[in-house]
Amino acid sequence: MPELPEVETIKRDLSILIGRPFKSITVYDEAYLEKNEIMPKELKKLEGQRLLQLSRKGKYLFLHFSKPILGFHLGLTGSLILLAGENPFDKFKHKVLSLNFLEMCLVFSDMRKFGRLFLFDEEKNFQNFLIDIGPDALEIGLPQFKEALRSIRKPIKSALLDQKVISGVGNIYADEILFRAGINPLRSAGSLSEEELQKLYQTMKEVLHLAIQLRGSTIKDYVDGLGRAGMFQTKHLVYQKYGKPCPRCGEPIEKIKVAGRTTSYCPQCQR
Ligand SMILES: [Zn+2]
């Protein structure tokens, strides 16, 4: 599932569309739109406008036209791929829609259909939507980070996955961050010392920045906005590596469930 580094990579790839004349929208999967309570005719309002900017919060990506704002959550298998030319190619079996810009089009596909689409016709609605998403993991400051976690009694891994607490970190990056910070995923978030919280905060920023530099992690099917795989999976130390030796101490990495998610960690190195 695309997490913050993957969505940020796509956002950067799509910046080439800013200011480019936007010609039309082609809808391929009306049922998908219906499920997201979007009428094709509402989308048509975008035609003839220009893309003013792109923004991201957590795992959400927003395309700002003068009105409305179009939002995407890629769910498990959603992808946004930019193509040269104006005809979406037939190779996209699960395409939902394409945004046809001058000499380029952006194809949104989603095989498993767990992604979501949003249209905000008023800035006010958009701002209200953002309020419900926790502070972005790249934007959050240290005092705010400590404050957010201090009162949480559930495991630190669950807290990191809770998009209302901090947004953008999912299963891959939570495992990688906790291993690198030496913190056991089952520890109650509120039990972390000041020092541990600071270490966790710094590690989170480092891991996310490095993952963005390497254009995200490709485990199964994630590709960036240009249809290419990411590279950060080559830097994974524990994610899905249960049964293999820990890269620090050599003891086997263990597998447990936290918040219903498979979690890999080293009981020796993560206290
Ligand atoms: Zn270890």
Side-chain angles (χ1 to χ4, degrees):
M1 179 199 282
E3 303 180 25
L4 186 153
E6 290 77 36
V7 180
E8 179 63 24
T9 300
I10 293 171
K11 184 191 130 196
R12 293 179 184 189
D13 288 342
L14 302 191
S15 63
I16 191 172
L17 295 173
I18 294 171
R20 190 177 287 260
F22 179 61
K23 298 167 71 174
S24 62
I25 285 189
T26 314
V27 175
Y28 298 97
D29 187 346
E30 291 210 14
Y32 195 104
L33 260 57
E34 204 172 303
K35 199 181 73 182
N36 286 277
E37 296 173 3
I38 293 174
M39 308 269 284
K41 70 169 188 218
E42 292 177 64
L43 275 175
K44 293 276 174 195
K45 288 181 193 165
L46 296 170
E47 294 181 346
Q49 297 192 36
R50 275 174 203 255
L51 180 65
L52 303 175
Q53 59 160 320
L54 294 150
S55 68
R56 182 190 57 73
K57 187 170 187 188
K59 303 176 194 171
Y60 294 87
L61 178 67
F62 303 102
L63 274 61
H64 298 252
F65 294 86
S66 48
K67 215 189 222 187
I69 295 166
L70 181 58
F72 293 90
H73 188 289
L74 300 176
L76 288 175
T77 56
S79 67
L80 278 165
I81 298 180
L82 206 50
L83 300 169
E86 295 184 12
N87 291 311
F89 307 145
D90 290 334
K91 66 175 181 177
F92 295 95
K93 262 199 225 152
H94 306 281
K95 51 188 186 280
V96 176
L97 53 86
S98 74
L99 305 178
N100 310 311
F101 291 81
L102 181 67
E103 292 171 348
M104 275 196 150
C105 65
L106 178 61
V107 183
F108 174 56
S109 323
D110 189 358
M111 183 176 68
R112 304 264 313 263
K113 301 183 195 292
F114 287 114
R116 275 173 289 156
L117 273 176
F118 307 88
L119 260 189
F120 303 98
D121 49 1
E122 296 293 337
E123 180 69 22
K124 189 178 67 194
N125 302 341
F126 176 59
Q127 293 303 335
N128 285 339
F129 183 80
L130 292 187
I131 288 170
D132 283 338
I133 308 170
D136 184 78
L138 274 191
E139 301 285 320
I140 192 169
L142 179 59
Q144 199 187 0
F145 180 80
K146 286 181 175 173
E147 195 51 46
L149 295 176
R150 217 171 255 143
S151 57
I152 296 179
R153 303 267 174 262
K154 59 188 180 181
I156 181 62
K157 166 129 186 210
S158 311
L160 289 177
L161 292 179
D162 184 342
Q163 302 298 301
K164 285 189 183 294
V165 177
I166 297 159
S167 64
V169 174
N171 208 30
I172 297 176
Y173 294 98
D175 278 5
E176 290 299 318
I177 291 164
L178 288 168
F179 176 76
R180 288 160 206 240
I183 295 170
N184 188 308
L186 291 168
R187 285 270 303 281
S188 158
S191 77
L192 299 188
S193 67
E194 286 291 301
E195 221 174 33
E196 286 172 319
L197 285 170
Q198 186 155 350
K199 173 84 177 150
L200 181 61
Y201 176 81
Q202 279 167 353
T203 309
M204 176 178 81
K205 300 273 174 165
E206 282 165 18
V207 167
L208 295 176
H209 281 295
L210 181 61
I212 292 168
Q213 264 177 34
L214 295 179
R215 309 186 59 80
S217 299
T218 297
I219 302 297
K220 282 196 198 112
D221 35 30
Y222 161 74
V223 288
D224 63 24
L226 307 174
R228 303 175 307 194
M231 286 297 292
F232 188 69
Q233 67 282 2
T234 64
K235 305 286 181 198
H236 289 177
L237 299 178
V238 286
Y239 176 71
Q240 287 186 343
K241 294 193 190 290
Y242 40 84
K244 295 190 178 152
C246 165
R248 293 228 173 102
C249 72
E251 291 294 310
I253 292 168
E254 288 194 7
K255 176 167 94 165
I256 50 171
K257 285 258 181 200
V258 184
R261 307 294 302 277
T262 299
T263 298
S264 302
Y265 81 114
C266 175
Q268 300 296 320
C269 300
Q270 293 174 256
R271 298 292 179 157

